[in-house]
């Protein structure tokens, strides 16, 4: 009888300890839904033209490579950059990336995707190609960041409404 009591006590103690060690975290199991924030940012960028006011690529300030270019984010997903003489066409999108990024720094995990195809005219625009993390986004300014998975360099890109 004493053995049955001890076994029951140990079983109860084990169950109590296991349930105490299981805790709920802030993830309630529902996926992040950033659709409203994405729609708001899309509305902002599709309104008017934008210029690059800061572009730092692997520690090198390359903002001047885009002097004179106006960027238009069209509703069909095309991205047009023109300086009156040259026109570059690429694509853009904003996506809710529910997986963790290379850098793990993004809390909202909304990606601002830019892609310019390889061009023979200039490779400067290819440097913009990335799935950028949004640092801040307002109706007049969008600050983006990317931390390279290879060497850990930080790239910064800022668009401001023209």
């Amino acid at each position: 009888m004493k053995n049955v009591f001890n076994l029951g006590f140990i079983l109860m103690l084990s169950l109590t300890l296991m349930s105490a060690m299981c805790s709920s975290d802030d993830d309630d199991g529902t996926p992040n839904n950033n659709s409203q924030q994405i729609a708001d940012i899309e509305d902002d960028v599709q309104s008017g033209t934008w210029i690059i006011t800061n572009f730092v690529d692997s520690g090198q300030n390359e903002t001047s490579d885009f002097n004179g270019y106006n960027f238009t984010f069209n509703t069909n997903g095309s991205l047009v950059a023109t300086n009156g003489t040259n026109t570059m066409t690429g694509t853009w999108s904003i996506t809710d990336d529910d997986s963790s990024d290379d850098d793990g720094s993004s809390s909202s995990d909304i990606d601002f995707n830019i892609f310019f195809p390889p061009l023979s005219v200039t490779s400067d625009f290819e440097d913009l190609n990335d799935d950028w993390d949004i640092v801040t986004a307002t109706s007049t300014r969008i600050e983006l960041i990317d931390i390279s998975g290879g060497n850990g360099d930080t790239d910064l890109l800022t668009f401001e409404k023209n």
Side-chain angles (χ1 to χ4, degrees):
M1 180 76 169
K2 190 175 182 183
N3 285 341
V4 172
F5 177 76
N6 286 340
L7 183 61
F9 178 74
I10 291 172
L11 182 62
M12 293 273 289
L13 181 62
S14 297
L15 289 173
T16 303
L17 288 173
M18 284 192 307
S19 66
M21 295 189 71
C22 295
S23 65
S24 63
D25 57 12
D26 57 351
D27 184 5
D28 62 1
T30 59
N32 276 348
N33 186 350
N34 295 316
S35 59
Q36 184 59 52
Q37 187 178 2
I38 290 170
D40 291 344
I41 297 168
E42 287 174 339
D43 287 345
D44 288 339
V45 298
Q46 292 170 15
S47 153
T49 60
W50 297 75
I51 59 172
I52 291 178
T53 58
N54 186 43
F55 179 54
V56 177
D57 185 16
S58 299
Q60 191 77 19
N61 190 324
E62 298 180 13
T63 307
S64 63
D65 293 346
F66 304 97
N67 284 349
Y69 278 94
N70 290 309
F71 291 78
T72 304
F73 298 89
N74 295 310
T75 58
N76 66 358
S78 67
L79 172 57
V80 179
T82 185
N83 66 0
T85 305
N86 298 317
T87 300
M88 308 297 169
T89 303
T91 60
W92 75 281
S93 65
I94 300 174
T95 55
D96 190 352
D97 183 8
D98 58 4
S99 65
S100 61
D101 281 349
D102 298 343
D103 63 13
S105 66
S106 176
S107 59
S108 66
D109 215 14
I110 297 175
D111 290 340
F112 196 109
N113 308 291
I114 296 174
F115 178 74
F116 284 97
L119 304 168
S120 58
V121 178
T122 177
S123 65
D124 293 337
F125 285 84
E126 290 180 71
D127 290 341
L128 300 177
N129 293 350
D130 219 323
D131 57 339
W132 298 88
D133 289 325
I134 298 174
V135 176
T136 60
T138 69
S139 61
T140 59
R141 182 179 176 95
I142 300 166
E143 293 180 42
L144 307 171
I145 189 170
D146 180 67
I147 299 175
S148 170
N151 57 10
D153 285 340
T154 300
D155 298 339
L156 304 170
L157 176 61
T158 302
F159 287 98
E160 290 191 33
K161 191 170 272 188
N162 193 11

